[in-house]
Amino acid sequence: MKIARFLYKGKEGFGIVKGGQIQVAEGDMFAEFRPTRSVYPLEEVKLLPPTRPSKIVALGLNYKDHAEEIGQRPPEEPIIFLKPSSAVIGHLDDIIYPPMSQRIDYEGELGIVLGKVTKGVAEKEADKFILGYTCFNDVTARDLQQKDRQWSRCKGFDTFAPVGPWIETDIDPLGLKFETFLNGVCRQSSSTSNLIFTPRQLVSFISQIMTLYPGDVIATGTPSGTGPMEVGDKIEVVIEGIGRLINFVKKE
């Protein structure tokens, strides 16, 4: 099931995406909800970020091919950092190129969306706390990352966390084909089978450190092939069985 948030004639809602339509739902998307009889064509709604997270927990160096690309050994434990909720944008929204940076990069990723309050869970229980999966782009000001030697500024600009277009609740996250396209050219091509730490391991590990809340996102890291974006570019993150997240780079 694909769950999306949307805006229709100035009113926010959420629903279930089926084909080219969205069936409006009532209730709580993180608890109990039911579909209504209202159905809208997708082209008539504005898709919003599918979740409004309190925080985004992101991973550094979590793909085997990316570790090989940069000549580093896979980490013994997940390397985590935070992106602010103010960085979130949705499908077809603009990534704003900040004047403070001279280079911003795409990093296509699989996103985990939590469905329950999650604290101290065992790996074997982690699936019970995951609502589903989505596409994510961990936009990074690469020059500032190299300058600061820590990641709060380079990862935290407004619009630096595109997520969407919806949440897929019924999919095995391992073995999914994964691609990122820049202006229609494939720049990243991998599989989630190359993840060093799996979604279950990540949920368990992170929940030993901090409480995760419904709607929070874990961005699971990027494969090899990251690179720069310029003003005017179109960037697409495509994950098999989930969908296609499209954004555009614009001046501030």
Side-chain angles (χ1 to χ4, degrees):
M1 177 171 59
K2 292 178 171 62
I3 304 174
R5 293 178 59 244
F6 66 89
L7 186 69
Y8 180 72
K9 295 184 177 179
K11 184 177 180 180
E12 290 188 19
F14 76 97
I16 302 165
V17 177
K18 295 180 180 180
Q21 298 180 320
I22 186 163
Q23 186 173 16
V24 181
E26 293 180 340
D28 184 345
M29 65 184 288
F30 297 106
E32 294 185 1
F33 63 85
R34 62 178 183 85
T36 70
R37 294 182 179 180
S38 298
V39 178
Y40 304 138
L42 276 177
E43 62 266 21
E44 293 184 10
V45 305
K46 161 63 178 171
L47 289 176
L48 300 172
T51 178
R52 292 179 286 187
S54 72
K55 58 186 169 296
I56 301 158
V57 187
L59 271 290
L61 202 61
N62 195 34
Y63 270 81
K64 298 170 187 175
D65 50 359
H66 186 42
E68 293 172 359
E69 179 185 41
I70 62 176
Q72 292 193 22
R73 291 182 179 179
E76 295 182 1
E77 292 183 313
I79 301 169
I80 65 171
F81 59 94
L82 296 175
K83 289 177 79 89
S85 59
S86 54
V88 170
I89 58 172
H91 178 62
L92 299 180
D93 288 341
D94 294 335
I95 298 166
I96 304 303
Y97 205 124
M100 196 177 289
S101 174
Q102 300 302 310
R103 172 172 169 168
I104 66 170
D105 283 15
Y106 56 83
E107 294 188 9
E109 308 194 3
L110 173 72
I112 305 167
V113 182
L114 279 299
K116 299 178 181 179
V117 175
T118 306
K119 178 62 179 177
V121 305
E123 182 182 330
K124 64 181 180 180
E125 300 292 324
D127 282 342
K128 298 177 182 179
F129 296 84
I130 297 171
L131 174 63
Y133 299 88
T134 190
C135 303
F136 190 87
N137 190 347
D138 178 20
V139 181
T140 303
R142 194 69 72 201
D143 56 339
L144 300 182
Q145 184 180 37
Q146 294 168 353
K147 178 180 180 181
D148 292 351
R149 302 180 68 85
Q150 57 85 24
W151 299 350
S152 294
R153 178 166 63 147
C154 69
K155 302 278 192 176
F157 285 96
D158 290 352
T159 76
F160 271 28
V163 59
W166 38 65
I167 302 165
E168 174 56 65
T169 65
D170 186 22
I171 196 168
D172 183 342
L174 299 181
L176 301 177
K177 185 178 180 181
F178 186 116
E179 295 176 306
T180 304
F181 295 86
L182 181 68
N183 299 321
V185 179
C186 185
R187 298 297 189 185
Q188 293 184 288
S189 182
S190 188
S191 167
T192 56
S193 62
N194 287 321
L195 283 166
I196 297 168
F197 300 103
T198 68
R200 297 177 185 89
Q201 290 174 311
L202 295 175
V203 169
S204 178
F205 178 83
I206 295 167
S207 75
Q208 312 302 322
I209 302 163
M210 64 188 78
T211 302
L212 298 165
Y213 295 101
D216 281 356
V217 173
I218 299 174
T220 59
T222 196
S224 62
T226 63
M229 300 182 290
E230 303 293 341
V231 172
D233 283 350
K234 176 183 180 182
I235 187 74
E236 303 170 78
V237 179
V238 185
I239 303 179
E240 177 187 6
I242 298 177
R244 181 181 297 261
L245 171 65
I246 302 173
N247 298 97
F248 306 91
V249 182
K250 298 290 178 67
K251 286 184 179 180
E252 187 171 57

